[in-house]
Amino acid sequence: MRKLNIFRAGKLAVAVTALLALAGGFVGVSAAAASQPQSAVTGETYVIGTDTTFAPFEYRENGELTGIDMDLIRDIAANQGFTVEIKSLGFDAALQALQSNQVDGVIAGMSITDERKLVFDFSEPYFDSGVQMAVAEDNTEIIGYSDLAGETVVAKRGSEGETFANSIKDEYDFTVKALADSATMYDDVKAGNSVAVFDDYPVLAYGINQNNGLKSVTEKEQGSSYGFAVNKGQNPELLAAFNAGLAELKDSGEYQAILDTYLEQPAPAAASGFFGLLGDSLPALMKGLGLTLLATGLSILIALVLGVLFGFFKVSESRVLRGLASGYVSIFRGTPLLVQAFFFYFGLPQLTGQSIDVLTAGVLTLSLNAGAYMTEIVRGGIQSVDPGQTEAGRSLGLGYVTTMRRVVLPQAVKIMTPSFINQFVMTLKDTSLLAVIGFAELTYQGQQIYASNFRTGETLLIVAALYFIVINLLTMLSNKLDKRFNK
Amino acid sequence: MSKISVKGLRKSFGSNEVLKGLDVEITEGEVVCVIGPSGSGKSTFLRCLNKLDELSAGTVIVDGFNLSDKTVDLNEVRQHIGMVFQHFNLFPHMTVLQNIMLAPVELKKQSTADARATALKLLDRVGLADKASARPAQLSGGQKQRVAIARSLAVNPDIMLFDEATSALDPEMVGEVLQVIRDLAAEGMTMVVVTHEMGFAREVADRVIFMADGVIVEEGTPAELFGNPQQERTQDFLSKVL
Ligand SMILES: Nc1ncnc2c1ncn2[C@@H]1O[C@H](COP(=O)(O)OP(=O)(O)OP(=O)(O)O)[C@@H](O)[C@H]1O
Ligand SMILES: [Mg+2]
């Protein structure tokens, strides 16, 4: 600890020196500014990325983000006079967002490793972790690493647990499977797909405490420490403020109080019944459903415009326009929606230097994707109208536009409507894929809920039922409108 | 005075030459029937007269408009030439009345009220005054074709083109459509009628053109062509259809 303190003091000194140098560099900056070293972050707002599902460090309770990381970063921000805007993105996504400067910092129960130090600057460690192994509650066969021979274990992709498991897998002859979040890993073990999970001890301890159906069977391995990260060379003042705030919280005892809240707390009362879960989760799920509908509505509207535009291009006489439309359609039909979402949220900002918010990126992805399918629907609709109709219109002396508007389109729309309704439903379902970039729609909200209560099956049933109800209501409504207007 | 003047008209689809140099002069008020075996290019010839098909070579002058002239407004030209199709091509999403009123109203030739009055008059003329608010799907084939003729007449054309107007009809309905065409002929309308109805051609045509393989093999008055065909191919064809 003593060594750490000296180290921290050294860093602080560096930070203060840097600030003074900065202040000195500005002509006309008053001495008062230099005498208040905190002014670099005071009043600033920083966007902090975090994991979605890493209890007890970050998880949602009644729709609110909570956990050790969340309490720490908020208390440090209050202590140092800055504001944080938390973005719950998922671990991999948060790191990518940090690299593309979509967020200013990441606090996500992240181990400080040499590899990560190459791309990020880390704060002082704020938590000492370590990997621990757990098995299903009723498993009596596996009590140590040597019982793992020939078996499969799970670990979280890119985590300390995975590194540790891989480091001993040859010695003990087992296979390591990587999954994206803790709740999924625990379900994998309970379902018997793998016999054991290697996860960070606090996470495991918290989960077991929450009756997640596992038990730990080994001692915690000597592990790494968690740190708060900023992109290499970026936001040094934020890093300095974090370190300063952390030191103050430790001194005041606030830090220990936070840890105790999450790690010492006794097992909660027995889980509420299905209707209890329904009641607890519905507010958050409804919020998610709202976003799902918003993203669907916006995307379908834009897709409709794109589809009509490119659909007309496709049936036009001009080779250039036809080529343009074909290129557009083949790009968006020829690549997975998920890749498109990642590209617009993470890739595009790196290429353009312009950051993009998750709703915009999500709507952009869905509308461009659905627009490609709409283009084909519009093209198909127009081309399925008997060419004799166009010839009759043209032979009467009606121009191309008038013939389209009065003769072809009214018939094409009628043919297209069922496909439009179908695309609408597809796009609504596709919004669930945006959970991976941290868009807080219905599926994402569901993941948040079972990540902290471990009731995966029931929660997903509720989520699926909500989709089912909404989609069928909307389909019924669409069909009614279709019947009324397209007789 | 020449209403339609065709000189050296050629038309190819890709490498397939369908019209191999046609020369035709049609004067005002003349009724010309075009006969010939399937695939000989009769429809293509008609479609070149209002440029539903592009011309590959040659000139076509219709009502004073040279169709090869890029500055000629085709939509204007087409208002001078009505066309009636084998399969009627009525607009199924509109009533009979709307079908007939569409062009005059869209082309701003008439107010809606005037167009309606004209349309009702035309319907009366083709014997369908009671079908004004029916949909095409509710009509028989003969009725559909009579509506299609009324629709073409609504823009007040000088010339009418008929492409096998009766060949998709049940035999008992052919008469009613031919009667409408016969009336138009009697009123002095310039017409080009592609038909399989040899009796009709003999009766109403001022001149009959026999086409085969993209060329005009023989032409003359009905009496000449049907009574005393000069070419072997004409004789062959007539012996099969008469
Ligand atoms: N759009 C087109 N593309 C390619 N070939 C065509 C096209 N339209 C017509 N043809 C060809 O041109 C030739 C003449 O066709 P056209 O329809 O003018 O004959 P027709 O004399 O009207 O025959 P029918 O009595 O069967 O109606 C045929 O060989 C046909 O296959
Ligand atoms: Mg034909």
Side-chain angles (χ1 to χ4, degrees):
Chain A
M1 273 322 261
R2 200 179 131 71
K3 198 177 157 201
L4 264 180
N5 277 333
I6 290 164
F7 183 46
R8 188 185 303 132
K11 268 252 177 151
L12 249 184
V14 169
V16 171
T17 314
L19 277 173
L20 284 173
L22 198 69
F26 287 114
V27 181
V29 168
S30 69
S35 70
Q36 290 173 347
Q38 287 181 9
S39 65
V41 293
T42 306
E44 293 286 332
T45 297
Y46 292 98
V47 182
I48 307 296
T50 187
D51 200 348
T52 49
T53 57
F54 196 48
F57 291 92
E58 40 266 336
Y59 61 98
R60 270 176 207 270
E61 207 166 72
N62 303 325
E64 291 296 309
L65 265 176
T66 183
I68 296 173
D69 283 346
M70 298 302 101
D71 287 4
L72 260 184
I73 191 77
R74 283 178 185 135
D75 286 0
I76 288 173
N79 180 279
Q80 296 289 307
F82 62 94
T83 318
V84 287
E85 185 193 322
I86 309 282
K87 288 213 164 159
S88 171
L89 302 172
F91 190 76
D92 292 341
L95 293 193
Q96 288 172 56
L98 185 57
Q99 276 178 283
S100 55
N101 292 319
Q102 295 267 83
V103 297
D104 300 308
V106 163
I107 185 161
M110 174 168 38
S111 304
I112 304 172
T113 64
D114 289 340
E115 253 172 28
R116 287 184 184 140
K117 277 186 191 164
L118 294 178
V119 279
F120 303 125
D121 288 333
F122 279 97
S123 70
E124 299 304 321
Y126 65 84
F127 186 85
D128 290 319
S129 183
V131 173
Q132 198 173 21
M133 180 173 91
V135 298
E137 223 161 30
D138 53 6
N139 187 331
T140 51
E141 279 148 36
I142 307 225
I143 50 170
Y145 300 147
S146 47
D147 302 319
L148 293 175
E151 304 284 6
T152 299
V153 305
V154 279
K156 194 165 169 180
R157 188 175 303 126
S159 74
E160 186 88 340
E162 189 188 16
T163 311
F164 175 73
N166 277 320
S167 74
I168 62 165
K169 72 172 181 202
D170 289 338
E171 183 183 343
Y172 294 104
D173 186 31
F174 60 83
T175 312
V176 182
K177 173 164 91 181
L179 288 175
D181 65 76
S182 294
T184 316
M185 294 197 299
Y186 302 161
D187 286 331
D188 201 57
V189 173
K190 276 189 286 180
N193 300 331
S194 44
V195 295
V197 54
F198 284 80
D199 206 358
D200 293 296
Y201 118 81
V203 182
L204 215 45
Y206 175 78
I208 291 167
N209 216 12
Q210 298 276 310
N211 303 312
N212 68 355
L214 300 187
K215 61 178 180 190
S216 58
V217 286
T218 55
E219 286 303 305
K220 156 184 146 184
E221 293 294 332
Q222 191 53 43
S224 64
S225 304
Y226 291 172
F228 167 75
V230 294
N231 206 359
K232 193 100 193 147
Q234 305 273 335
N235 296 310
E237 75 290 346
L238 175 60
L239 203 57
F242 184 92
N243 286 331
L246 181 62
E248 290 202 16
L249 294 192
K250 279 190 174 169
D251 289 346
S252 68
E254 222 175 306
Y255 170 80
Q256 194 55 46
I258 291 174
L259 289 197
D260 291 348
T261 313
Y262 294 97
L263 295 179
E264 296 288 308
Q265 93 187 350
S272 55
F274 178 78
F275 289 100
L277 174 68
L278 187 64
D280 289 344
S281 56
L282 219 48
L285 291 180
M286 284 321 229
K287 234 164 71 184
L289 186 60
L291 277 176
T292 293
L293 292 175
L294 176 70
T296 308
L298 287 175
S299 303
I300 280 292
L301 277 183
I302 300 171
L304 201 60
V305 173
L306 290 173
V308 169
L309 185 73
F310 284 103
F312 273 108
F313 282 9
K314 270 228 139 162
V315 297
S316 84
E317 310 254 292
S318 157
R319 276 172 90 134
V320 178
L321 293 184
R322 281 202 312 265
L324 205 70
S326 298
Y328 165 64
V329 169
S330 52
I331 288 172
F332 282 91
R333 285 206 313 191
T335 53
L337 184 60
L338 214 51
V339 173
Q340 292 164 17
F342 280 134
F343 177 79
F344 284 115
Y345 192 53
F346 301 121
L348 205 57
Q350 276 187 7
L351 294 179
T352 61
Q354 185 80 40
S355 74
I356 184 170
D357 71 84
V358 69
L359 176 66
T360 311
V363 168
L364 197 63
T365 309
L366 286 179
S367 53
L368 283 170
N369 187 273
Y373 290 93
M374 288 280 202
T375 298
E376 283 303 307
I377 294 172
V378 170
R379 180 198 59 75
I382 290 174
Q383 287 182 344
S384 65
V385 175
D386 174 11
Q389 292 288 308
T390 309
E391 286 178 357
R394 301 308 302 273
S395 75
L396 286 168
L398 301 175
Y400 176 81
V401 176
T402 310
T403 305
M404 268 290 163
R405 188 169 56 84
R406 295 299 311 270
V407 176
V408 178
L409 282 186
Q411 300 180 56
V413 166
K414 196 168 165 175
I415 299 166
M416 289 185 267
T417 305
S419 308
F420 275 146
I421 296 171
N422 194 39
Q423 183 58 47
F424 178 58
V425 170
M426 297 287 285
T427 300
L428 199 156
K429 287 193 282 194
D430 284 347
T431 54
S432 66
L433 289 171
L434 298 181
V436 297
I437 58 170
F439 180 59
E441 45 65 66
L442 182 53
T443 303
Y444 175 93
Q445 298 287 359
Q447 289 174 342
Q448 295 289 325
I449 290 166
Y450 66 72
S452 62
N453 70 9
F454 301 101
R455 295 167 71 175
T456 314
E458 289 162 287
T459 309
L460 283 176
L461 268 182
I462 297 173
V463 168
L466 283 175
Y467 277 116
F468 180 85
I469 292 166
V470 166
I471 286 171
N472 281 287
L473 281 178
L474 285 173
T475 308
M476 265 157 57
L477 183 72
S478 307
N479 287 335
K480 265 223 173 78
L481 292 176
D482 182 24
K483 280 218 183 77
R484 168 162 309 178
F485 292 109
N486 279 336
K487 267 195 302 215
Chain B
M1 194 207 127
S2 180
K3 264 303 205 194
I4 300 174
S5 168
V6 176
K7 288 201 177 75
L9 172 62
R10 287 173 182 275
K11 171 67 185 174
S12 306
F13 293 103
S15 60
N16 178 20
E17 188 167 59
V18 173
L19 300 181
K20 300 168 183 167
L22 302 187
D23 298 289
V24 183
E25 296 289 329
I26 297 173
T27 57
E28 183 157 7
E30 199 178 2
V31 177
V32 174
C33 284
V34 182
I35 60 174
S38 181
S40 55
K42 305 182 297 291
S43 297
T44 309
F45 168 57
L46 272 199
R47 294 160 60 85
C48 284
L49 296 183
N50 66 355
K51 238 183 160 190
L52 278 185
D53 280 342
E54 291 287 330
L55 323 177
S56 299
T59 54
V60 174
I61 297 169
V62 173
D63 231 3
F65 296 99
N66 184 342
L67 297 191
S68 309
D69 182 349
K70 296 270 184 261
T71 62
V72 163
D73 178 4
L74 274 181
N75 293 331
E76 165 75 25
V77 178
R78 286 172 181 153
Q79 289 166 42
H80 293 252
I81 322 168
M83 186 166 199
V84 175
F85 303 87
Q86 181 176 359
H87 295 288
F88 331 127
N89 298 354
L90 291 181
F91 307 134
H93 57 299
M94 297 180 186
T95 63
V96 163
L97 200 62
Q98 286 167 337
N99 262 276
I100 301 173
M101 287 168 63
L102 178 70
V105 172
E106 283 293 335
L107 296 168
K108 304 214 171 17
K109 297 192 92 172
Q110 286 181 337
S111 69
T112 310
D114 288 349
R116 176 184 299 271
T118 312
L120 288 170
K121 229 178 278 167
L122 285 168
L123 273 180
D124 192 42
R125 189 162 142 195
V126 299
L128 291 171
D130 55 332
K131 296 293 183 188
S133 54
R135 295 259 171 178
Q138 298 164 324
L139 303 181
S140 73
Q143 292 171 329
K144 279 184 197 162
Q145 196 59 297
R146 284 186 280 156
V147 171
I149 294 171
R151 181 176 69 178
S152 295
L153 292 173
V155 284
N156 206 13
D158 301 328
I159 301 166
M160 287 291 285
L161 309 176
F162 291 86
D163 190 358
E164 300 190 18
T166 57
S167 47
L169 299 180
D170 292 339
E172 71 269 24
M173 291 173 188
V174 170
E176 63 193 56
V177 173
L178 290 183
Q179 187 54 45
V180 173
I181 302 176
R182 198 177 282 125
D183 292 346
L184 280 172
E187 286 165 28
M189 176 73 76
T190 310
M191 298 198 283
V192 184
V193 183
V194 172
T195 185
H196 284 147
E197 300 288 334
M198 297 304 150
F200 178 77
R202 195 195 292 256
E203 173 201 337
V204 301
D206 296 312
R207 183 151 47 114
V208 179
I209 294 177
F210 172 67
M211 275 183 75
D213 290 330
V215 296
I216 295 175
V217 175
E218 190 171 350
E219 60 180 305
T221 63
E224 290 167 351
L225 200 105
F226 292 114
N228 187 17
Q230 301 297 306
Q231 302 289 326
E232 200 184 311
R233 275 201 283 179
T234 318
Q235 293 160 4
D236 252 19
F237 175 75
L238 289 176
S239 71
K240 277 181 203 137
V241 298
L242 285 178

